[in-house]
Amino acid sequence: MTSKTSVCSFTDFYCVYLVNEKIFKKIFCYKSVICHQSHTFAAPIADVAKLADALDLGSSAARHVGSTPIIRTSKAPSLGAFLLTIKKILLYEGAFKMAKVTRENVGLLTDKLSVTVTPPDYLPAFEKNLKQYAKTANIPGFRKGMVPFGLIRKMYGASVFHDEVLKTVETEINSYLFVEKLEIFAQPLPVKNDDTQLDYNNPKNYTFAFEIGLKPIVDINLAGINVTKYKIDITEEMITNEVERLQTHFGKMTEQKTVSRDEEVLNVTFTEVDAEGNVPQGAINKANSILVKYFTEDFKKNIIGLNVDDVVNVHLATAFNDTELTAIVQDLGLDNNDAASADKNFKLTINKIGFVQNADLNNEFYADAYPSKEIKNEEELRAAVKDDIAIYYDGESRNQLSDQIYHALLNNTTVQFPEPFLKRWLQLSGNKPRTVEEAEAEYPAFTNQMKWTLISSKLLKDYKIEVLPDDIRELAKKQLLKYTGAKFNLLGEKNQWLDDYANRMMQDNKFVEESQQRISAQKLFASLESTLAFNEEAISEKDFAKKLHHHHH
């Protein structure tokens, strides 16, 4: 039996004619992955496999030096080799049904994705990785790279096959989510998939199912928000108290043996304890300086008479007055917006007792207290102090207004969640799985946080808010000046050391991420403050402190 072959090159495909006494077949093979979508793709897969596997055509076929990728060699391959190449292309580039993802709704904001992967999806990577194992495997009795492929397949085939199938499924899921532009919570969760069915000796279509939790559309009604911005009255008493504080700060310290009066300064260490008085893991342990008069009158009885190295138990909300409580909570690195912060217990160790002889009101004191201002007398000093107090309380008032807006947005915005999905995700997420009961207990706080994330994300997008690198650099500079006690107006000067510090902090990923969150929140609330219609109300320092204290509890 004789046969002959002719190879014709076309722009989009290659056709191979095989002619003999009983067979006349025409096989089209596109060079691109979309070949199977064309009507010119005429050869059935079974025929290709039969021709490639059964016919022994030898090397008598006509030789051609083509310009196409399939036959671009200095010596044309035999027809048998050529047909084997065609078989691989048909197998790997679409002759069989490719990966498929289907989607169906199974609950509120919950969809099921079923991913079917076929041999053409995962076999190329499987075979490639096995060959890589063969090149690098170190097996006793064989030189590196000379291990028989059959042995490599037997030793590593199952695990490599398993990995490649699951990688392919993951890729298909991610591609589908990207193409469909689906916004989901967390990541897809598997639905009772049995990956033990995977058999590298019998590659076939495999189907895996996943659930996804869809993010809801959030509708925010800013017109329904009713908030009040408080303007704190700055009294002469407040100015006098601040002047005295500055005199104490820049005064001369003398050490004492026993706590005896309100004006004494205690250098102390706060050590966090639990309800039983034990120090928990990760407890706060921080030094601070406190005037005796900052304690409440009732708690002060526990302080007067103590000596250096004595220890007293402190419940923050009981030990400090409202104004001082806010400062102490902040100094300890706790969140003033979290009611649990003021409810914490500490052991207070007295390290030093000092009495400060207040600085006199003179030019030396004025220069120490306000190095960037030329203050000549007490009147100018009190004016500068009043300005500082006004700036401080304006910031506190804006923070309190932001807190009102935050709670109003949460309370007035209805957001639906895929509850069963999220509870199951809570159970499975993290290093340690949670029980059903633990997930149920954490769910309200979790969804409250997620609710704010959805609201704030939409508002940031609506207001077109973005955080620029220069914003983060300026924040780094302000923080350094605050830590060193310098005045913020130094930011206008050209200080290389500030720039160097800011540039170093820009290399700290954690700092950059936290700064982005902080600055974006500040910009968001500033935008909301400029947009919303709110009431303004004058208020005393004490009444304002009560509002803060009431919120903490």
Side-chain angles (χ1 to χ4, degrees):
M1 181 173 65
T2 61
S3 64
K4 66 177 182 178
T5 304
S6 63
V7 179
C8 304
S9 175
F10 291 87
T11 302
D12 293 316
F13 60 87
Y14 311 99
C15 65
V16 179
Y17 289 90
L18 175 63
V19 183
N20 59 33
E21 296 175 354
K22 296 183 179 179
I23 302 174
F24 182 86
K25 294 290 181 184
K26 184 179 179 181
I27 303 169
F28 288 92
C29 181
Y30 268 68
K31 63 184 178 184
S32 72
V33 75
I34 63 170
C35 62
H36 64 287
Q37 297 174 350
S38 170
H39 68 278
T40 59
F41 193 92
I45 302 306
D47 288 344
V48 176
K50 180 179 178 181
L51 289 173
D53 292 335
L55 293 179
D56 181 13
L57 300 175
S59 59
S60 62
R63 299 178 184 273
H64 298 270
V65 181
S67 61
T68 64
I70 294 180
I71 57 175
R72 188 179 297 142
T73 59
S74 59
K75 183 178 180 181
S78 68
L79 181 59
F82 191 75
L83 288 174
L84 284 173
T85 302
I86 292 175
K87 177 186 176 183
K88 289 182 179 180
I89 294 173
L90 293 176
L91 179 64
Y92 297 152
E93 294 192 3
F96 294 142
K97 191 176 181 181
M98 303 296 282
K100 178 182 177 183
V101 179
T102 60
R103 175 183 170 193
E104 63 175 313
N105 180 257
V106 293
L108 176 64
L109 296 170
T110 307
D111 284 0
K112 177 182 175 182
L113 299 182
S114 297
V115 186
T116 299
V117 292
T118 65
D121 299 314
Y122 57 77
L123 281 182
F126 169 64
E127 293 185 358
K128 179 181 177 181
N129 284 338
L130 274 186
K131 290 176 182 178
Q132 187 61 35
Y133 270 93
K135 293 178 182 179
T136 59
N138 289 312
I139 298 177
F142 298 94
R143 284 186 296 167
K144 187 175 181 180
M146 301 301 291
V147 183
F149 188 73
L151 180 59
I152 292 292
R153 185 179 176 86
K154 183 177 180 181
M155 293 178 64
Y156 301 108
S159 62
V160 174
F161 186 80
H162 182 276
D163 290 344
E164 290 306 325
V165 170
L166 295 187
K167 278 188 201 174
T168 303
V169 171
E170 182 181 5
T171 300
E172 293 297 332
I173 280 281
N174 290 336
S175 298
Y176 181 84
L177 294 175
F178 177 78
V179 171
E180 296 296 323
K181 296 181 173 58
L182 296 181
E183 294 191 26
I184 66 171
F185 289 108
Q187 68 274 344
L189 295 179
V191 180
K192 296 180 181 179
N193 294 316
D194 181 15
D195 57 7
T196 60
Q197 64 179 313
L198 302 180
D199 181 6
Y200 73 101
N201 288 316
N202 182 29
K204 60 180 181 179
N205 294 359
Y206 294 109
T207 299
F208 293 84
F210 299 85
E211 277 189 358
I212 55 173
L214 301 171
K215 290 183 179 180
I217 297 174
V218 180
D219 184 20
I220 301 172
N221 179 21
L222 294 179
I225 293 178
N226 183 24
V227 292
T228 300
K229 184 177 182 181
Y230 296 101
K231 182 176 176 60
I232 292 82
D233 296 326
I234 301 173
T235 64
E236 290 300 314
E237 181 183 2
M238 291 167 63
I239 298 172
T240 298
N241 290 339
E242 180 60 15
V243 169
E244 290 177 354
R245 189 193 69 79
L246 289 171
Q247 286 180 280
T248 300
H249 180 74
F250 291 103
K252 183 179 179 181
M253 174 76 73
T254 58
E255 290 194 32
Q256 311 292 307
K257 293 182 179 180
T258 303
V259 181
S260 59
R261 49 192 161 183
D262 281 356
E263 294 75 19
E264 287 171 340
V265 178
L266 306 182
N267 289 353
V268 299
T269 300
F270 283 89
T271 304
E272 185 182 1
V273 294
D274 58 25
E276 288 73 37
N278 301 314
V279 179
Q281 186 176 3
I284 296 170
N285 190 68
K286 193 168 184 179
N288 206 337
S289 296
I290 304 174
L291 281 169
V292 173
K293 67 179 181 180
Y294 286 170
F295 294 100
T296 62
E297 289 300 322
D298 286 340
F299 190 80
K300 201 182 297 180
K301 300 171 185 177
N302 301 316
I303 298 295
I304 299 296
L306 293 181
N307 301 315
V308 173
D309 295 331
D310 282 348
V311 178
V312 62
N313 292 323
V314 171
H315 176 251
L316 295 183
T318 305
F320 297 100
N321 292 311
D322 293 344
T323 304
E324 285 73 30
L325 176 63
T326 301
I328 292 294
V329 167
Q330 185 173 339
D331 287 345
L332 291 172
L334 297 170
D335 185 1
N336 266 308
N337 292 321
D338 185 356
S341 297
D343 199 41
K344 286 186 176 292
N345 293 288
F346 290 83
K347 283 184 178 180
L348 193 71
T349 303
I350 299 177
N351 303 316
K352 183 191 276 189
I353 304 169
F355 177 72
V356 179
Q357 183 65 44
N358 286 351
D360 293 330
L361 297 178
N362 53 34
N363 289 334
E364 181 182 358
F365 168 67
Y366 300 150
D368 287 340
Y370 288 93
S372 61
K373 296 183 179 181
E374 295 183 2
I375 295 177
K376 304 181 186 63
N377 51 53
E378 184 178 355
E379 182 181 355
E380 292 180 357
L381 172 69
R382 293 179 70 85
V385 167
K386 183 176 182 178
D387 288 343
D388 279 359
I389 295 174
I391 291 171
Y392 170 77
Y393 275 110
D394 181 67
E396 289 297 293
S397 177
R398 293 186 65 185
N399 289 339
Q400 203 273 341
L401 177 63
S402 296
D403 186 69
Q404 291 182 62
I405 295 172
Y406 165 79
H407 284 284
L409 285 169
L410 283 178
N411 294 335
N412 295 338
T413 306
T414 300
V415 178
Q416 293 182 315
F417 289 98
E419 185 172 332
F421 172 86
L422 290 176
K423 287 181 178 179
R424 191 159 76 92
W425 182 85
L426 276 175
Q427 286 182 255
L428 300 175
S429 64
N431 296 326
K432 183 182 177 183
R434 298 172 178 83
T435 64
V436 174
E437 292 74 21
E438 288 172 334
E440 286 283 349
E442 293 182 26
Y443 183 74
F446 171 74
T447 49
N448 203 52
Q449 182 182 13
M450 293 302 301
K451 183 177 182 179
W452 173 247
T453 300
L454 292 169
I455 292 171
S456 60
S457 295
K458 185 177 189 306
L459 289 172
L460 287 170
K461 185 177 180 180
D462 291 346
Y463 282 108
K464 297 180 173 59
I465 292 172
E466 58 181 345
V467 178
L468 303 175
D470 283 347
D471 295 330
I472 301 175
R473 289 191 180 91
E474 289 304 304
L475 178 61
K477 292 177 183 179
K478 286 184 179 181
Q479 287 185 345
L480 179 60
L481 291 174
K482 182 178 180 180
Y483 295 150
T484 57
K487 293 292 181 181
F488 288 173
N489 58 13
L490 290 178
L491 283 172
E493 301 177 8
K494 292 183 178 180
N495 293 302
Q496 186 61 44
W497 63 280
L498 274 176
D499 291 333
D500 291 343
Y501 174 78
N503 289 333
R504 284 199 304 274
M505 294 306 294
M506 290 297 290
Q507 307 305 314
D508 185 335
N509 292 333
K510 182 179 179 183
F511 171 79
V512 170
E513 183 179 349
E514 291 176 349
S515 298
Q516 285 175 330
Q517 294 174 355
R518 178 177 175 181
I519 296 169
S520 64
Q522 289 173 344
K523 288 187 174 185
L524 173 58
F525 282 110
S527 298
L528 287 168
E529 184 179 339
S530 66
T531 303
L532 296 173
F534 52 82
N535 304 314
E536 289 191 272
E537 180 181 323
I539 192 172
S540 69
E541 177 195 18
K542 289 184 178 180
D543 288 340
F544 182 71
K546 288 178 182 177
K547 288 187 175 295
L548 295 178
H549 182 64
H550 173 74
H551 170 66
H552 296 159
H553 290 78

